Amino acid sequence: MQTDFDVVVLGTGAAGMVAALAAHDAGARVGLFEKASVVGGTTALSGGVAWMPDNRLARDAGLPDSRADALAYLAALSNGLIRPEMAEAFVDGVAEALNYLETKTPVRFHLLPIPDYHPEHPGGCPKGGRSIEPGTFSFAGLGDWSDRVGIGQFSDPVTGHVYMTTRESPRGGGAGRIDEAEMQRRREAKVNGRGRGMIGALLAACLERGFAPVTEARAVELITDGRRVTGVRIEKDGKVHDVTARGGVVIATGGFEWNADMVTGFLRGPMQHPASIPTNTGDGQAMAMKAGARMGNMREAWWMPVCLLPGVKQYGEQKVVLILRERALPGGIIVNRKGRRFVNEATNYNALGGAFHQFDPVRFEYGNLPCWLVFDASMIERYGFLDVPAGGTMPAWVPSGATPEELAARVGIDPAGLRASLERWNAAVAAGSDPEFGRGDSAYDGFNGDLSQYPGKGATLGPIGTAPYYALEIVSSTLGTKGGPVTDGHGAVLDNDGLPIHGLFAAGNAMAGPTGMVYGGAGGTLGPAIVFGYRSGRRAAAQVDAMVNA
Ligand SMILES: Cc1cc2nc3c(=O)[nH]c(=O)nc-3n(C[C@H](O)[C@H](O)[C@H](O)COP(=O)(O)OP(=O)(O)OC[C@H]3O[C@@H](n4cnc5c(N)ncnc54)[C@H](O)[C@@H]3O)c2cc1C
């Protein structure tokens, strides 16, 4: 294994891959190390959508946006958790990072018609413009590497490839179908869209440049000379290798959501089961702490409500399914064990995490966990549910009851409370608005609901009254944590005095998230991961001579 580099990048998600490419193209000899046996991190599993404010594609499409609007939007949602210089570095970095990917790598983006997640806030975009996704990429030229990219959320169960993009799905404005001839072409060409396609394209760019990720290579400790980080210890094949990084080490090791001690030690509230890949155990955050980094945003994660699929595994762990559409469709509400609603069910998933964290100081418990999505037979008849098509039969593992009371008794909800909530909900639906939680008031709410009624409130408001009734337990999860070493706008890690730790950089979910608690819109995690991956890679490469001569 080669052990002497200019820049060493840890992790092969979007942040790490982009950092490695940017460092290489700025003249550095790059080492790219990955703990897992496959590449791509949570990025390969993901939808691949990136939230990139004030981007060229929106301008070309005539959609209004500006630097000032993007910054006003982030500031309006900051709650004191966003450092303005990091918001500026992100927004100002979009154009260069996008231009780099589209001109120097095979990644090509297109716009998605997805509204921002808080579109009515100052600077918000109710008609979209900031969410973009990569086009498809053929894995045919990747050789053996084709089988060494992690599986995606929408991977074909047999081939592992992800054939449909978000743009082709109903939420992206498409039909949700690919005709058979085109499907055949995609199968033969090993075409991949979404996060897996993005990783394949970035991997192809690395291979073209003559460097490949080293897999099953876990970074365990930073090496310092007392003044600066000079390398990193990598565990590979049962041995520990000292790897030199003349310009710097970029930590792009993702979040710490799979590290139980860090989860209880840092996160602001319950996170019952992560949705990401299990190698994200906070190694990067731990190494940075040991090197004296100041840590930031450690309480925050990209929160997500999910359900657990009994008996199904993903990456060797319990498979979770993101609950996006089901909680926005007309005909379902979420209740706690008192049978009470506690949130606008259709609001964006990240903000909804706050409702799971409400603490009852008298009972001394989190009052909204456990909770259930309660819905009825007419919802399945009209829309289907999870993998069940419209008009299909619900699987037996989802508890049901002939009456709300029977259902409530079966799962442990207060029957009278549930009955009262359903009556209030049905009255609200009949009146055409939800006075309790304002569901349907935002342009975002109905977007995941019944699109045939969007943007009307009927896209998300609908009665519940047709037996049988169902209750699916909703679990507080995360796509990844977003706390880590505090950096400057180029990803350079700062120490407790706010001074750079020379030779150390961070990007993606491993860094102190530049957007604080905010998930700006679809792609809110990958947008900053790409921008700071690019910035940190370039800056680390630029340090090579400075470091060597220091
Ligand atoms: C189902 C799903 C769908 C999603 N869809 C979207 C979406 O459409 N848009 C969006 O913005 N976000 C989405 N997300 C979230 C998004 O995928 C992540 O936030 C993002 O991929 C994080 O990128 P990253 O590069 O920071 O980390 P990752 O992609 O997780 O990569 C980190 C890598 O570091 C490796 N690593 C860890 N420790 C070490 C070590 N010690 N040494 C070496 N390597 C190490 C890991 O194995 C991993 O490969 C989704 C998430 C999920 C679960």
Side-chain angles (χ1 to χ4, degrees), residues 10-16 33-36 38-51 153 217-220 234 252-255 257 275-277 279-284 287 302 322 349 478-480 507-510 519 521-527 529:
L10 309 175
T12 58
F33 294 93
E34 168 55 53
K35 174 177 171 182
V38 290
V39 298
T42 310
T43 310
L45 178 62
S46 81
V49 180
W51 191 71
Q153 180 192 10
R218 177 183 188 172
V220 288
I234 301 277
T253 47
E257 60 276 5
S276 64
I277 53 148
T279 40
N280 285 354
T281 53
D283 297 353
M287 287 188 285
W302 309 106
L322 315 187
Y349 40 87
T478 178
L479 303 177
N509 288 354
Y519 205 124
T525 92
L526 282 170

Side-chain angles (χ1 to χ4, degrees), residues 334-530:
I334 298 180
V335 298
N336 58 23
R337 76 195 96 154
K338 291 180 181 160
R340 295 205 188 128
R341 290 178 69 213
F342 53 88
V343 70
N344 165 3
E345 296 85 351
T347 199
N348 82 78
Y349 40 87
N350 176 63
L352 196 147
F356 291 147
H357 297 162
Q358 276 168 26
F359 190 69
D360 181 335
V362 176
R363 300 173 73 101
F364 217 76
E365 63 187 20
Y366 290 95
N368 297 330
L369 290 174
C371 65
W372 295 265
L373 177 58
V374 172
F375 52 100
D376 70 355
S378 73
M379 179 153 138
I380 302 155
E381 187 59 31
R382 290 169 70 190
Y383 307 111
F385 196 92
L386 300 178
D387 283 347
V388 176
T393 307
M394 284 298 283
W397 62 266
V398 179
S400 61
T403 62
E405 286 79 3
E406 188 183 302
L407 175 72
R410 186 156 293 158
V411 297
I413 301 173
D414 173 49
L418 179 59
R419 167 67 67 182
S421 291
L422 288 174
E423 283 169 4
R424 260 199 312 279
W425 171 254
N426 287 336
V429 170
S433 79
D434 169 23
E436 272 186 295
F437 298 104
R439 177 162 159 190
D441 291 353
S442 167
Y444 176 74
D445 291 353
F447 183 77
N448 289 305
D450 178 349
L451 282 178
S452 70
Q453 303 197 52
Y454 186 75
K457 288 192 184 185
T460 188
L461 300 185
I464 307 170
T466 311
Y469 298 87
Y470 297 90
L472 177 71
E473 184 170 352
I474 303 292
V475 165
S476 169
S477 175
T478 178
L479 303 177
T481 58
K482 49 172 158 164
V486 170
T487 68
D488 70 9
H490 294 280
V493 173
L494 306 180
D495 68 10
N496 259 331
D497 299 321
L499 299 170
I501 299 179
H502 295 296
L504 190 58
F505 300 82
N509 288 354
M511 75 193 290
T515 60
M517 67 194 292
V518 182
Y519 205 124
T525 92
L526 282 170
I530 289 170

Side-chain angles (χ1 to χ4, degrees), residues 124-313:
C125 291
K127 294 195 160 52
R130 292 172 174 164
S131 297
I132 61 178
E133 76 161 338
T136 54
F137 180 76
S138 164
F139 279 27
L142 287 179
D144 292 350
W145 280 101
S146 171
D147 299 324
R148 296 176 63 193
V149 178
I151 59 130
Q153 180 192 10
F154 298 104
S155 270
D156 179 281
V158 177
T159 65
H161 300 306
V162 177
Y163 296 119
M164 191 186 285
T165 61
T166 299
R167 181 164 66 169
E168 292 165 321
S169 75
R171 239 47 40 189
R177 262 175 279 104
I178 303 173
D179 72 49
E180 193 38 47
E182 174 59 11
M183 264 310 280
Q184 188 55 29
R185 186 195 73 75
R186 291 190 189 190
R187 277 191 213 103
E188 279 163 17
K190 301 181 177 176
V191 162
N192 278 269
R194 310 205 195 207
R196 199 166 193 265
M198 183 194 294
I199 288 296
L202 294 172
L203 175 62
C206 295
L207 301 176
E208 262 167 37
R209 285 159 172 80
F211 69 95
V214 182
T215 54
E216 296 178 295
R218 177 183 188 172
V220 288
E221 189 176 13
L222 294 166
I223 304 170
T224 68
D225 66 2
R227 289 180 310 141
R228 64 184 180 97
V229 172
T230 56
V232 58
R233 297 209 159 89
I234 301 277
E235 224 172 58
K236 166 103 186 126
D237 301 330
K239 291 194 198 106
V240 176
H241 307 259
D242 280 8
V243 175
T244 309
R246 295 191 319 144
V249 174
V250 181
I251 295 175
T253 47
F256 57 82
E257 60 276 5
W258 285 91
N259 181 320
D261 286 344
M262 290 176 91
V263 164
T264 43
F266 292 115
L267 290 184
R268 68 177 196 204
M271 193 284 292
Q272 299 161 287
H273 200 292
S276 64
I277 53 148
T279 40
N280 285 354
T281 53
D283 297 353
Q285 287 83 350
M287 287 188 285
M289 280 191 261
K290 204 167 167 191
R294 179 172 153 206
M295 304 304 279
N297 218 35
M298 293 294 279
R299 63 199 285 275
E300 285 302 326
W302 309 106
W303 308 106
M304 173 62 78
V306 304
C307 75
L308 309 182
L309 277 192
V312 186
K313 298 254 175 196

